[in-house]
Amino acid sequence: PPSSSSESVTTYMLSPRYLLSADSMLYVRVATGYRPGGPNIALPGVPSTVNSDSLINYEAGIKSSFLNRRASIELAAYQIDWKDIQISTSTDNGLSYAANAGKAQSRGVELSSQYKATQDWRLGLVIGYTAAYLSEDAPKLKAGKGDRLPGTPRWNAALTSDYNFSLPDGWAGHVGGGYSWIGERQSAVNPARSLTLASFGTLNLNADVSKDAWTVRLYAKNLANNQKLSSISPITNALSGAVSQYSANRPQPRTIGMAVDMQF
């Protein structure tokens, strides 16, 4: 039968800043966000609508440059409160619908830094720590307060390097690379169905030469061809609810390529 659903959501952001000097700044940010809800499939025992889920992000940090602006650093600590989490669940006979399930909280620290070793050589470093957990029981997820959120590593890091140089006849060259690493993650919030995904890293390299409107690029992605699982999720039997198999993803395999760009 014809039906409708509606809701009103208010969001806001507050971000005061304080300049310690011409090269350093302290800041605080409070911001909210949401994901719209909507109507559900009309079935007995299924809620007619799913509410929006929302979050509040509290963040404080410092941004600073030094060594005559050859180096910079950004350090931030944050807490994200997430409520009315939207999930996909199913009825006893396997029909899926959307529902809301409890609250979660993420706390973490992020460090980002760049250093200009020479006029043409730049190094970058990013390190992050995150602790993300359910902050109340979530029966629809078959998980309890304190269970880790899936797909969220406690640690992650990345290191980059870029070098620019001049070539004869007006050509310019560049070589660079980056190594990114992600720590162990859980595949699901339900401990009984969660698998631990191993940490892994990927190495990417790139080089290019350019002149006027033309650029010729070479690149190598995942040079070491790391094939550890990036994510995995169970596929359940629609009749029994038991896990019948798993669906998994791996990083893009080693890919080496060349491209030519023209600006016009």
Side-chain angles (χ1 to χ4, degrees), residues 5-157:
S5 66
S6 65
E7 63 180 332
S8 297
V9 178
T10 300
T11 61
Y12 60 88
M13 182 178 70
L14 177 67
S15 184
R17 296 173 292 176
Y18 180 75
L19 297 179
L20 298 172
S21 68
D23 298 323
S24 298
M25 178 188 75
L26 295 174
Y27 74 92
V28 176
R29 180 183 295 119
V30 181
T32 64
Y34 81 101
R35 180 168 43 179
N40 251 326
I41 185 173
L43 288 174
V46 174
S48 58
T49 62
V50 58
N51 296 328
S52 63
D53 56 353
S54 61
L55 58 82
I56 303 178
N57 177 62
Y58 306 92
E59 183 178 342
I62 183 172
K63 299 181 179 182
S64 180
S65 59
F66 46 96
L67 298 179
N68 293 324
R69 299 192 175 183
R70 290 175 55 192
S72 66
I73 188 171
E74 297 182 16
L75 180 64
Y78 64 88
Q79 175 177 307
I80 301 174
D81 294 329
W82 185 13
K83 70 176 182 178
D84 294 328
I85 302 170
Q86 286 186 20
I87 63 166
S88 177
T89 186
S90 60
T91 61
D92 292 339
N93 56 1
L95 296 175
S96 298
Y97 66 94
N100 299 102
K103 299 178 181 179
Q105 186 178 87
S106 299
R107 293 180 177 178
V109 178
E110 293 180 346
L111 170 68
S112 176
S113 179
Q114 289 193 355
Y115 176 62
K116 200 171 184 179
T118 68
Q119 184 65 28
D120 300 313
W121 184 21
R122 185 182 298 272
L123 300 171
L125 173 67
V126 176
I127 300 176
Y129 173 81
T130 303
Y133 301 91
L134 288 176
S135 53
E136 70 176 22
D137 293 341
K140 292 179 180 178
L141 291 172
K142 298 181 180 179
K145 180 179 179 180
D147 289 337
R148 286 180 61 183
L149 296 188
T152 306
R154 284 194 174 93
W155 290 97
N156 65 86

Side-chain angles (χ1 to χ4, degrees), residues 144-201:
K145 180 179 179 180
D147 289 337
R148 286 180 61 183
L149 296 188
T152 306
R154 284 194 174 93
W155 290 97
N156 65 86
L159 179 65
T160 60
S161 176
D162 291 279
Y163 182 73
N164 299 287
F165 53 93
S166 299
L167 293 170
D169 298 325
W171 286 86
H174 162 264
V175 292
Y179 181 80
S180 59
W181 179 85
I182 184 171
E184 289 185 349
R185 294 93 60 220
Q186 298 301 124
S187 65
V189 70
N190 179 355
R193 291 188 173 181
S194 180
L195 301 174
T196 299
L197 299 175
S199 60
F200 69 91

